Amino acid sequence: MGKTWKKIDDAVRIGPGDKAILKDRDTVGADLFPDRKEAEDSLADDAKAINALQDKLWAERTRALLVVLQGIDTSGKDGTVRHVFGECGPLGVAVTPFGVPNAEELAHDYLWRVHMAAPKKGMLGVFNRSHYEDVLVVKVKGLAPAAAIEQRYEQINDFERMLADNGTTILKFMLHISKDEQKQRLQERLDKREHNWKFNPNDLDDRKLWRDYEKAYEAMLERCSTKRAPWRVIPADKKWRRSAIVASIVRGTLEEMDPQYPKPDWKPSDFKIE
Ligand code: AMP
Ligand code: MG
């Protein structure tokens, strides 16, 4: 996508102090990538570029990129991983899904498992759900005391600042779909045999809590969009457009990081291979 990614980024980025009223934010995003063919070409090009940049990041091994994906059920987190990082070799990309914490994880503070999964230098880490579940599902379902949850926004900001200060660039994407679109996607999971496995009756309970989730997401977006790690709200009703937008921002960010192959302290001509 090259030079125009900044314009796309400006349209979706939540700055520090910005309001994030989700019902006023478009879930279609037609003006960002009006043309499907163009979006698909852009995605294909960006996915290849992301792989090439990732190779340099790994060779350089001094910094990391962390991509955080959040969004309600069916918002397309898995598909985004497949499309945006599908060209990357498996060696340099680590995808971590965060589900219901197990007993060991619950016995620690909520950031423990998250810190363990943070990408090491040279890696591109992707979180499929994240520490933000601890101010989303946990808040909506009342899984922790309200006062404890209230402290987490600042704790998360502190945690992310610490990661950033230690060489990790953080990109946070919330995939934003409409309630109608979710209905269609859930219905598809019932209708298509090969999609049945994705259907979880609990998703219907969460759907009933749509407004509560919306409010929790808004609090997260407003309170955890820092200068170093702002949120991006991605219009995600169209899968091809969603992936094209995310890929353009990931590529643009990697280009700004500008990783370099390390210079060897020898010349190829110093050696002769017999
Ligand atoms: P899925 O992404 O469909 O595999 O589902 C993962 C489930 O784990 C979702 O229902 C999340 O809400 C849930 N989950 C993730 N993190 C937490 C957490 N910290 N506490 C409780 N539930 C969580
Ligand atoms: Mg699910």
Side-chain angles (χ1 to χ4, degrees), residues 73 77 98-101 113 128-130 133-134 137-138 143 200 203 206 213:
D73 295 310
K77 299 180 289 295
F98 287 96
V100 179
R113 64 174 183 165
N128 189 342
R129 302 186 192 267
S130 66
E133 291 294 330
D134 291 285
V137 64
V138 172
L143 304 177
N200 177 349
D203 293 351
D206 280 342
Y213 272 103

